[in-house]
Amino acid sequence: MKIFEQHPVLERTAKVFFVFAGAIVLAFLIKFSMKLLVPVLPDIITFEAAKTVFQAAGRAAGWRGEPPAPVRVSSLDRPTSLEGRWSIRLDDNSAYASAGYDDSSWETLRFPTIFMQYYYWKTGEARKKISGVIWIRKSIVIDNSIPKGDIGLILGRIGNADETFFNGVKIGGMGSFPPHEFSMWNHPRHYIIPKALIRHGVKNVIAVRIWYHTWGEMLGTLAIAGLDDWQISKSLSNFLLVIVDYIIIAMGVPIFLIFIIFFIRRRSSKEYIFYCFQLLAGLVLIMELCTYWNFYGDNLTRVKVLIVSWAAINVTHPMFLHRIYDFKRPRLELFFWLVVTTIVILAIFFTDEEQARPLGALGIIFLTSQGLYNFSCHCVALYKRSPYSKLFAFFGSIVVIGAIHDGMFYFLKLIGLNVNAGLLFKYMIFPYSAFVLYMGTTLVFVSRVVGMMDEIVDLNVNLEHKVKDRTSELHTAMEEMESMNDQLVKTRDALWGEMMLAKKIQTVLLPLKPLIGGYEITATTLPADNVGGDFYDVINSDGRDWLVIGDVAGHGVPAGIIMMMVQTSIHTALNQNPSLPPAKLLSVINRTITGNIRHLHEDTYVTITVFAVRADGRLHFAGLHQDIMVYRAKKRAVEVIETDGFLIGVRDDIDDMIGSGELALEAGDCLLVYTDGITESWRKGSVRDKRTTDDMYGAQRLVALFESLGERPTDEIREGILDSLDDFECNDDVTMVILKRLP
């Protein structure tokens, strides 16, 4: 729309309003739809058929059956696997930690796995709040041939927190249980079994108390190992799953600072700021994997932050790609902003314990599918040979594949599905994808810097050649300029002489010592240029006294010439008819001045007020100029009288447009008339585009000053006003006339 093209700020405001309004509407629609759809899904509480399906799945998975046989540990030369069936119980009782507790009635489940399907089968609740405690137990027999000593226990990664017991004694745990819940689901569990707890040749029991929330799992390597193998496993797992994450964060912080500084210096390069946005969101996601500190307070808030960060990175990444590949897709970007805003609103305001999983899964489905669009951006960039596509497309594609993998990783957690696909969907690879992204963006950044350096070298080489050429040209030009300078000096002297002559004529025309009987009078004018457009006059003609003040628009020689014409016209008219009323006087001189201005081809005009001063204190006046200020001695206050009329020099006939007025001065009263060079001056040091009304001298400041000086002689009043202008810059002529009636 044309109005948006003319007002880009209005366009941006409209887009922001559209995004927020649309996101709020979509969020309400999705929330309402979830309330309608979830009850009619196969709810294993309501529908027996659905319950039968999970029961069948339970039988196939061996959730019920004979208790698992104890695992025999016959050697510590290599780790003994604990993978297989574990006894499992979906409630919480401290007695379950005891080695003598009879768990023969418990169901069994194969570990490592995501155990949420067991939860659904056991509770019949697929859409309720999913949070609680589950116990798992495993019996082992350690041969008598194994030397007595500490043994290592490896339990992979447990979601979300655990307490691990050996023969009824707690040997370790990570995370914390409600009410001070804290998930450490991505941290590998490595615990030491003290030799004092180990009973050789008989059954020993490993019991693990697990807190689950939104998802529950025990994945990774499960084993009993000698301390050497245990230490290797612990160091390697911690490095790959935790330490690498902190290394990636440490790399990301300086990269973020570098790119944000580049954006501040080059605001037009928006790719830098979008890269920083996705970097911030990515660092939040990585911190989710490795944090030892509870920043969130509760796990629901943590899930919300995870959803918002995932949405942010999936929207800012295509924005970054659009700019680095020079794609122009504003409508698609508007759609992306709508999506991420909707997800943020849903996560913050509409996601509760019951809705966290379905809304999270819905968001991940969309955001993960968006990875296909990001992959298409790289393909299109390569096809079109867009800038930096050969450098970045490979790395960017790997990042997209990693993002899709991790999206599926979280999706499987939320729906409780365990997929046996080797290492796929078992570990988050986002930190490694981030490292690949660092490599790609670093190559692009280095390529840009090298390109700029090459351009600078080329410019320097070309500059050297140009300097030589220009030096030769300058020698020739200097010779010509010396000749021209001689001519300019002569011309300047001639023009200066004309200027000084014009100024001298102007000065001569102004009254040196104006006098009006019965009054004290002081007048002054300070032209902005050598020749000004302001003027005043005091005329004594045939026993009548006249006071005139005016201002020709502009200044310099043309304004000075027109000012001389006005003064001459007034003197001529009054000499011919001293009894002219002020309004008639202006009408007479207007015809002359209007014609002369046309002949001069000047686009200007004159503001003027004339006063017929009477000995009894009455002043008749006419003409449009600045307001008249009158200091009333009895009241010690200033009265401001507006002038009325029309501009001189614009129209031939202004008889019907000239207003007239009358005022009276009593003994001690003082009249001040002035030009706008005083009131429109600006405070020194003020910046043009940042000035405020307080920076202008203004009429109110002049009124206040005149009120404080009104009782003084007119010379002191003039000096006080001129002194007040010391802190102001006058860009126009300054003229004032002060008239005080004597007692």
Side-chain angles (χ1 to χ4, degrees):
M1 297 176 65
K2 290 185 177 180
I3 187 172
F4 287 154
E5 293 176 359
Q6 297 172 356
H7 303 282
V9 175
L10 183 62
E11 180 183 11
R12 288 194 292 270
T13 304
K15 287 181 178 179
V16 172
F17 174 79
F18 166 77
V19 167
F20 275 97
I24 292 172
V25 172
L26 279 177
F28 273 103
L29 289 175
I30 293 172
K31 179 68 174 179
F32 181 72
S33 300
M34 294 297 293
K35 285 188 175 180
L36 292 178
L37 291 175
V38 169
V40 301
L41 294 175
D43 188 341
I44 57 180
I45 298 176
T46 307
F47 298 100
E48 289 297 327
K51 186 178 293 187
T52 302
V53 170
F54 277 103
Q55 289 172 348
R59 286 192 296 271
W63 293 346
R64 282 180 176 170
E66 295 297 326
V71 173
R72 180 168 292 277
V73 181
S74 58
S75 173
L76 295 180
D77 293 338
R78 59 182 180 180
T80 300
S81 175
L82 296 179
E83 295 182 5
R85 292 195 301 162
W86 288 55
S87 299
I88 185 168
R89 181 87 175 187
L90 190 63
D91 60 21
D92 192 17
N93 190 329
S94 60
Y96 299 159
S98 172
Y101 181 83
D102 181 11
D103 58 13
S104 60
S105 63
W106 288 19
E107 289 85 22
T108 61
L109 184 64
R110 294 186 181 277
F111 283 90
T113 190
I114 298 173
F115 53 75
M116 298 316 296
Q117 285 191 0
Y118 170 80
Y119 168 87
Y120 303 149
W121 168 73
K122 187 67 177 175
T123 65
E125 295 181 350
R127 61 183 179 88
K128 299 293 184 179
K129 170 185 175 182
I130 296 181
S131 180
V133 175
I134 196 168
W135 281 81
I136 61 174
R137 288 165 57 95
K138 186 78 170 178
S139 298
I140 64 172
V141 176
I142 301 175
D143 285 355
N144 291 319
S145 61
I146 295 177
K148 293 184 178 181
D150 296 343
I151 297 176
L153 175 62
I154 305 171
L155 292 180
R157 296 173 293 117
I158 297 177
N160 291 268
D162 76 288
E163 291 179 339
T164 300
F165 301 83
F166 190 85
N167 288 335
V169 178
K170 183 177 177 180
I171 60 173
M174 298 191 78
S176 56
F177 287 65
H180 305 293
E181 59 198 58
F182 175 47
S183 172
M184 296 181 70
W185 64 269
N186 195 55
H187 290 255
R189 268 61 169 182
H190 290 79
Y191 304 132
I192 291 288
I193 303 174
K195 63 181 181 180
L197 300 179
I198 300 173
R199 296 179 298 186
H200 291 262
V202 297
K203 185 177 73 171
N204 298 267
V205 176
I206 301 169
V208 185
R209 180 177 180 242
I210 301 173
W211 168 64
Y212 59 89
H213 184 284
T214 307
W215 63 71
E217 62 192 9
M218 185 163 73
L219 298 173
T221 301
L222 309 180
I224 291 288
L227 292 183
D228 291 340
D229 291 331
W230 177 87
Q231 186 61 53
I232 292 172
S233 174
K234 179 181 179 181
S235 300
L236 183 60
S237 299
N238 274 312
F239 177 78
L240 294 177
L241 296 178
V242 179
I243 296 175
V244 164
D245 297 342
Y246 284 107
I247 293 174
I248 298 300
I249 292 173
M251 294 172 62
V253 171
I255 293 175
F256 171 82
L257 294 175
I258 290 171
F259 276 73
I260 201 70
I261 290 171
F262 262 79
F263 173 71
I264 293 173
R265 298 296 300 272
R266 298 185 64 181
R267 295 294 181 90
S268 60
S269 299
K270 295 291 192 294
E271 62 270 21
Y272 293 122
I273 192 63
F274 282 111
Y275 182 80
C276 290
F277 285 153
Q278 68 174 330
L279 197 60
L280 282 178
L283 293 179
V284 172
L285 292 176
I286 296 175
M287 184 60 73
E288 156 71 16
L289 304 178
C290 63
T291 181
Y292 287 94
W293 307 277
N294 188 1
F295 301 112
Y296 309 100
D298 60 80
N299 212 54
L300 179 62
T301 302
R302 185 169 180 168
V303 172
K304 290 181 178 182
V305 172
L306 182 65
I307 294 172
V308 170
S309 300
W310 198 254
I313 201 169
N314 276 274
V315 168
T316 53
H317 186 66
M319 303 285 191
F320 168 72
L321 295 181
H322 289 175
R323 281 150 185 82
I324 199 173
Y325 289 147
D326 198 23
F327 291 166
K328 307 298 182 184
R329 300 176 179 179
R331 293 184 179 178
L332 192 58
E333 291 186 358
L334 191 64
F335 171 72
F336 288 157
W337 282 119
L338 177 63
V339 169
V340 72
T341 307
T342 303
I343 293 175
V344 170
I345 292 174
L346 280 170
I348 295 176
F349 300 106
F350 296 107
T351 300
D352 53 22
E353 295 279 0
E354 294 185 11
Q355 297 292 339
R357 290 173 53 258
L359 288 177
L362 183 66
I364 288 175
I365 289 173
F366 175 81
L367 295 173
T368 303
S369 64
Q370 188 177 329
L372 299 176
Y373 169 78
N374 296 338
F375 186 78
S376 73
C377 287
H378 297 297
C379 295
V380 172
L382 284 172
Y383 176 75
K384 292 185 175 181
R385 298 181 179 180
S386 299
Y388 309 110
S389 59
K390 291 183 178 180
L391 279 175
F392 188 71
F394 170 74
F395 298 96
S397 299
I398 293 178
V399 171
V400 170
I401 294 172
I404 294 175
H405 171 275
D406 290 351
M408 290 302 301
F409 174 84
Y410 275 113
F411 180 74
L412 294 174
K413 282 179 178 292
L414 291 173
I415 66 174
L417 184 61
N418 186 47
V419 177
N420 294 317
L423 294 178
L424 289 178
F425 312 124
K426 291 295 189 292
Y427 298 94
M428 283 280 287
I429 61 174
F430 183 80
Y432 303 96
S433 300
F435 178 73
V436 173
L437 180 65
Y438 293 167
M439 292 178 61
T441 50
T442 301
L443 284 175
V444 172
F445 181 74
V446 170
S447 176
R448 284 190 170 184
V449 172
V450 171
M452 288 188 291
M453 292 177 64
D454 290 341
E455 290 180 5
I456 292 172
V457 171
D458 292 339
L459 288 172
N460 286 336
V461 172
N462 293 332
L463 185 60
E464 291 177 1
H465 294 302
K466 289 182 178 180
V467 167
K468 292 179 180 178
D469 295 339
R470 292 289 184 246
T471 302
S472 177
E473 294 175 2
L474 283 172
H475 283 302
T476 304
M478 286 292 293
E479 295 176 355
E480 295 176 357
M481 288 179 64
E482 289 178 1
S483 176
M484 293 174 60
N485 188 55
D486 293 338
Q487 297 178 4
L488 287 172
V489 169
K490 295 178 182 178
T491 305
R492 182 203 64 188
D493 292 342
L495 289 174
W496 186 257
E498 294 178 6
M499 290 281 288
M500 294 304 294
L501 177 61
K503 182 178 181 181
K504 186 173 182 180
I505 295 172
Q506 181 186 23
T507 305
V508 169
L509 291 176
L510 295 176
L512 296 177
K513 294 182 179 180
L515 295 173
I516 297 179
Y519 295 88
E520 179 186 355
I521 185 169
T522 297
T524 190
T525 184
L526 302 173
D529 290 335
N530 288 314
V531 182
D534 285 8
F535 63 92
Y536 69 88
D537 207 349
V538 176
I539 305 170
N540 310 109
S541 178
D542 195 25
R544 299 173 183 268
D545 296 310
W546 294 82
L547 172 62
V548 182
I549 189 167
D551 184 4
V552 180
H555 40 79
V557 173
I561 293 173
I562 295 171
M563 179 271 285
M564 298 176 198
M565 294 178 184
V566 173
Q567 287 184 292
T568 303
S569 299
I570 292 174
H571 278 266
T572 301
L574 290 178
N575 286 335
Q576 293 177 354
N577 187 358
S579 61
L580 277 174
K584 185 63 176 176
L585 173 61
L586 293 179
S587 178
V588 170
I589 69 167
N590 175 69
R591 293 186 178 87
T592 302
I593 299 304
T594 301
N596 289 344
I597 289 176
R598 288 199 190 103
H599 290 314
L600 290 173
H601 301 290
E602 290 288 335
D603 184 15
T604 188
Y605 58 86
V606 182
T607 62
I608 185 172
T609 301
V610 296
F611 296 84
V613 184
R614 303 293 183 253
D616 59 1
R618 289 181 300 117
L619 282 76
H620 297 275
F621 62 90
L624 178 65
H625 191 60
Q626 302 296 317
D627 293 343
I628 302 166
M629 296 186 184
V630 179
Y631 174 78
R632 299 299 184 183
K634 290 182 178 180
K635 297 180 179 180
R636 294 186 178 181
V638 173
E639 177 186 356
V640 179
I641 303 171
E642 293 186 4
T643 59
D644 189 19
F646 197 74
L647 303 173
I648 302 299
V650 177
R651 296 182 53 169
D652 291 320
D653 185 5
I654 59 172
D655 290 353
D656 298 332
M657 302 179 185
I658 303 176
S660 59
E662 180 179 345
L663 62 88
L665 296 180
E666 298 182 1
D669 288 353
C670 188
L671 172 79
L672 170 64
V673 289
Y674 57 93
T675 59
D676 57 7
I678 297 176
T679 54
E680 294 181 5
S681 59
W682 293 93
R683 190 180 302 278
K684 292 179 180 178
S686 61
V687 181
R688 179 181 297 273
D689 295 334
K690 298 181 180 179
R691 288 171 172 169
T692 63
T693 53
D694 188 57
D695 291 326
M696 179 183 277
Y697 190 95
Q700 293 300 323
R701 193 188 305 270
L702 184 58
V703 168
L705 181 62
F706 186 35
E707 193 170 277
S708 66
L709 300 173
E711 293 184 342
R712 300 183 183 182
T714 55
D715 285 345
E716 293 185 16
I717 295 174
R718 176 191 61 186
E719 295 305 318
I721 294 174
L722 292 178
D723 289 344
S724 71
L725 290 170
D726 288 344
D727 295 331
F728 291 82
E729 183 178 352
C730 302
N731 297 316
D732 200 357
D733 305 335
V734 172
T735 299
M736 71 181 93
V737 180
I738 306 164
L739 181 72
K740 175 176 283 192
R741 187 178 179 192
L742 299 173

